[in-house]
Amino acid sequence: MNKLTVGDLIEKFSLKILAGEDQLQQPITQSRAHRPGLEFVGHFDFFPTERVQILGRKEINYLHKLSHEERKVRIGNIVHYHPPCFIVTAGEEGLTYLTHFCKEERIPLLVANTVETTSEFIIMLDAYLLKNLAPEISIHGVCMNVFGVGVLLRGQSGIGKSELAHTLIGRGHRLVADDMVVLKKLSPRTLLGTHDEKTKEFLALRSIGLLNVVRMYGRKVFQDETRISLDIHLTKWQKDSLNNELEHDQSFTEYMGVKIPSLEIQLQPGRDVAGLIEAAANNWYLRQSGYSAAEEFMSRIEADLTNGRIE
């Protein structure tokens, strides 16, 4: 799992520090934030103490209405568990008492200077935490976004993955990563493909060298990340190994337990491999909607047989 700290949240969301300046290296290990509502009234049966705690307008207004002694008990019960930090989304007015408690317990107290509602801020924060705390691996290959479909191109070194990526860029598609692709597992069914920062926007072409595709072709040819939907293995041409079956059985490649539909494309001079990849992406869309060209073709044949048009 990747490492994330309170300091990373401050940098990402431009948070103001009210307390706990010396505790910004506190680790963040949970990919969802928590709004302590029930905890303020004494229910701690399921209190997720390792999550970032968010205090919105409702929570702050409730605390403001309490007497000094009640506030001491309610807040004291929560800070006792030492969550990684508190983030207030309702402004910093009237937070002297909360600042005092957090300083005593050495817990970072942060304020979000944002125009979003608390719910909107939590959505953004959860998305950031999920992506940055997701398990990840790196694989050798190329990642492209073709017609909105995230495609992995794999194959042995020198097979032509980067050259193919360059052709796809010329046909209006987007590069995500070349040579080293970082895969992040966001859920049991969701795999995100991205770069490793060092190779961002770069494409390495044999005989030409290293290209910055954004500098050459504009921002539209690059995408920072994409959900992986297809895994395509590029192989050398093998005579008589391909057939014209109506539809192949679906194969899968598994990464960190996530199964990705996969297929093999053999390379041969003159073969429009970029066009085949575009066809594969479009066909994936049709499969998602439940359509099968082979099934439709067979239904037409059966209809002709039933009506006596074929004997």
Side-chain angles (χ1 to χ4, degrees):
M1 181 176 290
N2 295 326
K3 294 181 179 179
L4 203 61
T5 67
V6 173
D8 294 321
L9 301 187
I10 294 171
E11 181 178 354
K12 173 64 179 179
F13 296 99
S14 301
L15 305 175
K16 183 177 181 179
I17 306 171
L18 297 185
E21 296 89 344
D22 60 340
Q23 296 296 311
L24 302 186
Q25 293 305 311
Q26 286 288 334
I28 307 294
T29 60
Q30 299 298 311
S31 58
R32 291 185 61 191
H34 176 68
R35 244 179 130 167
L38 290 175
E39 290 77 19
F40 276 133
V41 294
H43 295 279
F44 288 89
D45 291 346
F46 303 102
F47 182 37
T49 58
E50 296 181 352
R51 292 187 190 179
V52 174
Q53 305 296 315
I54 305 296
L55 303 179
R57 178 63 60 189
K58 291 180 180 179
E59 291 80 14
I60 295 301
N61 284 346
Y62 171 77
L63 293 176
H64 284 346
K65 293 177 181 179
L66 298 178
S67 66
H68 174 74
E69 290 302 319
E70 288 177 320
R71 196 181 294 148
K72 184 176 180 180
V73 172
R74 302 302 185 194
I75 298 175
N77 285 340
I78 290 182
V79 298
H80 170 74
Y81 288 96
H82 286 88
C85 68
F86 289 97
I87 299 179
V88 178
T89 62
E92 59 184 287
E93 184 179 354
L95 297 182
T96 305
Y97 58 88
L98 189 56
T99 303
H100 171 74
F101 280 105
C102 287
K103 283 184 176 180
E104 277 194 342
E105 297 292 336
R106 302 180 69 193
I107 300 173
L109 175 62
L110 315 171
V111 175
N113 297 313
T114 176
V115 296
E116 291 86 6
T117 65
T118 301
S119 296
E120 291 170 338
F121 179 81
I122 291 175
I123 290 173
M124 292 191 301
L125 176 60
D126 282 353
Y128 173 78
L129 294 175
L130 177 63
K131 186 162 60 175
N132 284 274
L133 292 174
E136 67 177 45
I137 58 173
S138 296
I139 65 168
H140 178 66
V142 173
C143 184
M144 298 288 301
N145 184 280
V146 180
F147 294 135
V149 178
V151 178
L152 278 178
L153 302 177
R154 296 185 299 112
Q156 66 184 36
S157 182
I159 196 74
K161 299 182 294 296
S162 297
E163 289 86 348
L164 179 55
H166 187 259
T167 300
L168 288 167
I169 288 173
R171 296 172 79 144
H173 307 296
R174 296 177 177 178
L175 174 71
V176 176
D178 178 47
D179 188 48
M180 190 62 65
V181 181
V182 177
L183 300 178
K184 293 175 175 282
K185 181 181 179 181
L186 301 188
S187 78
R189 298 181 62 184
T190 305
L191 201 65
L192 191 73
T194 186
H195 49 78
D196 65 355
E197 290 295 336
K198 296 188 295 293
T199 60
K200 180 179 180 179
E201 302 174 359
F202 288 131
L203 184 66
L205 296 179
R206 293 174 185 266
S207 303
I208 303 297
L210 199 62
L211 306 181
N212 185 310
V213 296
V214 171
R215 294 284 184 122
M216 292 187 68
Y217 305 118
R219 175 57 56 184
K220 66 181 183 299
V221 306
F222 177 77
Q223 186 166 314
D224 200 55
E225 59 191 29
T226 187
R227 178 175 178 174
I228 302 299
S229 300
L230 277 176
D231 181 72
I232 297 179
H233 190 202
L234 305 174
T235 61
K236 292 181 179 180
W237 181 266
Q238 298 179 33
K239 187 178 180 180
D240 300 327
S241 66
L242 297 180
N243 51 53
N244 290 317
E245 292 180 3
L246 293 180
E247 191 167 58
H248 294 282
D249 293 335
Q250 182 70 72
S251 298
F252 296 89
T253 305
E254 190 170 306
Y255 298 99
M256 296 180 288
V258 181
K259 291 185 176 181
I260 303 298
S262 64
L263 55 92
E264 176 188 351
I265 294 181
Q266 294 186 10
L267 306 183
Q268 186 184 46
R271 200 171 194 215
D272 183 12
V273 179
L276 291 175
I277 290 174
E278 290 177 328
N282 281 324
N283 197 46
W284 177 86
Y285 265 124
L286 291 175
R287 282 176 178 256
Q288 302 313 297
S289 64
Y291 174 80
S292 166
E295 290 179 5
E296 182 180 1
F297 178 76
M298 291 306 300
S299 67
R300 293 180 184 181
I301 297 297
E302 291 173 2
D304 284 346
L305 287 170
T306 301
N307 296 325
R309 290 192 288 268
I310 296 179
E311 296 181 359

